[in-house]
Amino acid sequence: MADTESMDYAYVAGGCFWCLEPPYESQEGVYEVVSGFSGGEIPDPRYEDVARGNTRYLEVVRIGFDASKISYAQILDIFWRQIDPTDDSGQFVDRGHQYSTAIFYTSEEQKKIAEDSKRNLEESGWFSRPIVTVIRPFTTFYPADDYHQDYYKKSAFRYKYYRSRSGRDQFRIAVWGDEADQTDPIEKKQ
């Protein structure tokens, strides 16, 4: 476990936060992945309100990582392979603003890396439609209730059922094929 004072943080929204925990928790150098909410304005939002679309919050994961073992750019490469960055109305079966995609940067350096990463994806040829994932300054993060943390482990059967019917994996395989789980930088499609 890393010293939390030396840990860097990334905040990404990619639809259902349950689905973003597993790809990060398996990475060397990632020490925590917490599901929660960012991007809204009211203090301490409740899951029920966010899920109903009654707030401006997005479902987000906070990724605590050691930048000497995994870079912010690699964190974003993993992110792009989990989402449909061309959909501004939600992700897969989950519809609404609360399930839209975003990268929340915590510094000017993260902002530049995020913008470069998005531009590389746009130029890569992987998608024929525009990349609509927004890059926004980070303000606050509210962790979701314990029930949501590591849901894919705690409620594995329910999670697998939801995931298999969400359309996420089918999309990922259709777009990325064998590269769906690679964390190498995005290169132009051959």
Side-chain angles (χ1 to χ4, degrees), residues 90-160:
Q91 287 292 286
F92 312 107
V93 74
D94 297 311
R95 310 313 299 159
H97 171 79
Q98 67 274 30
Y99 298 113
S100 58
T101 61
I103 298 168
F104 294 90
Y105 60 87
T106 62
S107 66
E108 287 302 310
E109 179 184 11
Q110 279 192 359
K111 179 182 180 184
K112 181 183 182 327
I113 292 167
E115 288 171 344
D116 290 346
S117 180
K118 181 177 177 179
R119 184 173 37 262
N120 289 342
L121 183 63
E122 289 170 335
E123 295 172 356
S124 72
W126 283 106
F127 297 94
S128 59
R129 295 183 358 212
I131 305 302
V132 297
T133 299
V134 297
I135 298 171
R136 300 172 52 179
F138 171 77
T139 53
T140 56
F141 174 81
Y142 292 99
D145 295 331
D146 286 343
Y147 170 81
H148 294 288
Q149 309 305 328
D150 291 322
Y151 185 82
Y152 76 101
K153 292 178 188 175
K154 294 176 188 173
S155 299
F157 179 78
R158 287 182 178 168
Y159 171 75
K160 287 178 186 176

Side-chain angles (χ1 to χ4, degrees), residues 15-169:
C16 174
F17 47 35
W18 297 340
C19 296
L20 291 181
E21 287 184 351
Y24 288 110
E25 287 186 350
S26 65
Q27 300 299 314
E28 181 179 350
V30 171
Y31 295 105
E32 74 169 20
V33 183
V34 179
S35 289
F37 315 107
S38 273
E41 296 172 1
I42 63 169
D44 207 17
R46 295 175 353 153
Y47 173 76
E48 295 77 13
D49 292 330
V50 174
R52 280 193 290 265
N54 295 340
T55 71
R56 296 301 299 158
Y57 282 96
L58 304 179
E59 288 198 9
V60 170
V61 291
R62 178 181 71 199
I63 304 150
F65 65 101
D66 180 341
S68 70
K69 295 182 179 179
I70 184 169
S71 70
Y72 185 66
Q74 288 172 304
I75 295 287
L76 297 180
D77 289 340
I78 295 166
F79 171 68
W80 294 124
R81 286 180 168 84
Q82 308 309 311
I83 65 168
D84 177 355
T86 68
D87 187 349
D88 62 359
S89 299
Q91 287 292 286
F92 312 107
V93 74
D94 297 311
R95 310 313 299 159
H97 171 79
Q98 67 274 30
Y99 298 113
S100 58
T101 61
I103 298 168
F104 294 90
Y105 60 87
T106 62
S107 66
E108 287 302 310
E109 179 184 11
Q110 279 192 359
K111 179 182 180 184
K112 181 183 182 327
I113 292 167
E115 288 171 344
D116 290 346
S117 180
K118 181 177 177 179
R119 184 173 37 262
N120 289 342
L121 183 63
E122 289 170 335
E123 295 172 356
S124 72
W126 283 106
F127 297 94
S128 59
R129 295 183 358 212
I131 305 302
V132 297
T133 299
V134 297
I135 298 171
R136 300 172 52 179
F138 171 77
T139 53
T140 56
F141 174 81
Y142 292 99
D145 295 331
D146 286 343
Y147 170 81
H148 294 288
Q149 309 305 328
D150 291 322
Y151 185 82
Y152 76 101
K153 292 178 188 175
K154 294 176 188 173
S155 299
F157 179 78
R158 287 182 178 168
Y159 171 75
K160 287 178 186 176
Y161 182 82
Y162 160 79
R163 178 88 186 218
S164 71
R165 284 156 179 75
S166 72
R168 184 181 296 263
D169 291 330

